[in-house]
Amino acid sequence: MREGTEGVIAEVRTPERRLEDLALPEHPLVVVLESVEKPGNLGAVLRSADAAGADAVLVCDPLTDLWNPNLIRASVGAVFTVPCVACCSADAIAFLKARGIRILTAQLQDSSLYYDCDMTVGTALVMGTESTGLTDAWREAADAHIRIPMLGALDSLNVSVSAAILLFEAVRQRQNG
């Protein structure tokens, strides 16, 4: 316990957010994370999503609580500024398809370079875990598969770094488009 915090206690009710509650603009920018398990990574993605002006973050098949204290700390409060919904992948795919939002999956296999893909339309940037990547459900639902060029010996980046790169490419295209 830190000095000076004795006697302070609060009870709060966490908001329950659902896909149908999201109010998205005409050409939304959405981040989708499938089964990301580390609260720090999820918090860092939320921070980048806020910085890039993303319209929502969908956490599919979550392995961590959206209100985990480490997530809140890593997000530097972005968990309160970016609409974030936990849901299953099937519901997220149906939601995105019904709204005409283009699904771009970040993956090494059968993919194009991210900067060659149009992100000025409604776009969902979908990323999985570093260890297993995305499930077949997302790969098959994708409108395009994209990758970040890896010029060194390793073949992947931390999911929060990948998210930031892809988000700011979308920002670049939308500002220049």
Side-chain angles (χ1 to χ4, degrees):
M1 194 168 195
R2 291 184 175 168
E3 280 186 28
T5 60
E6 298 86 32
V8 176
I9 189 167
E11 182 179 335
V12 295
R13 181 167 298 168
T14 56
E16 187 175 321
R17 297 176 178 152
R18 300 172 308 169
L19 287 170
E20 51 272 8
D21 297 333
L22 290 175
L24 298 175
E26 184 178 354
H27 300 291
L29 178 57
V30 178
V31 176
V32 179
L33 300 173
E34 182 187 39
S35 300
V36 172
E37 58 190 351
K38 295 181 181 172
N41 283 343
L42 184 49
V45 170
L46 282 162
R47 189 173 181 183
S48 293
D50 176 86
D55 298 297
V57 173
L58 308 183
V59 182
C60 297
D61 310 317
L63 298 176
T64 190
D65 179 13
L66 291 181
W67 303 106
N68 179 302
N70 292 331
L71 185 154
I72 293 170
R73 187 172 22 262
S75 80
V76 192
V79 71
F80 303 110
T81 63
V82 179
C84 187
V85 174
C87 59
C88 70
S89 288
D91 289 348
I93 291 167
F95 174 84
L96 296 168
K97 292 281 188 191
R99 284 155 185 78
I101 298 171
R102 194 160 183 240
I103 297 173
L104 306 180
T105 55
Q107 61 186 68
L108 293 173
Q109 310 83 358
D110 187 31
S111 57
S112 303
L113 293 171
Y114 72 96
Y115 44 75
D116 290 335
C117 194
D118 181 9
M119 298 182 196
T120 61
V121 297
T123 301
L125 301 170
V126 185
M127 287 156 277
T129 66
E130 295 168 40
S131 59
T132 59
L134 291 167
T135 60
D136 287 341
W138 281 106
R139 292 173 195 266
E140 292 166 10
D143 296 296
H145 304 150
I146 59 174
R147 67 182 162 85
I148 298 168
M150 300 297 295
L151 306 179
L154 304 178
D155 68 355
S156 69
L157 295 168
N158 175 284
V159 69
S160 65
V161 173
S162 296
I165 290 169
L166 297 177
L167 279 163
F168 280 94
E169 173 60 15
V171 168
R172 185 193 68 79
Q173 288 184 20
R174 289 164 184 237
Q175 288 180 342
N176 295 333

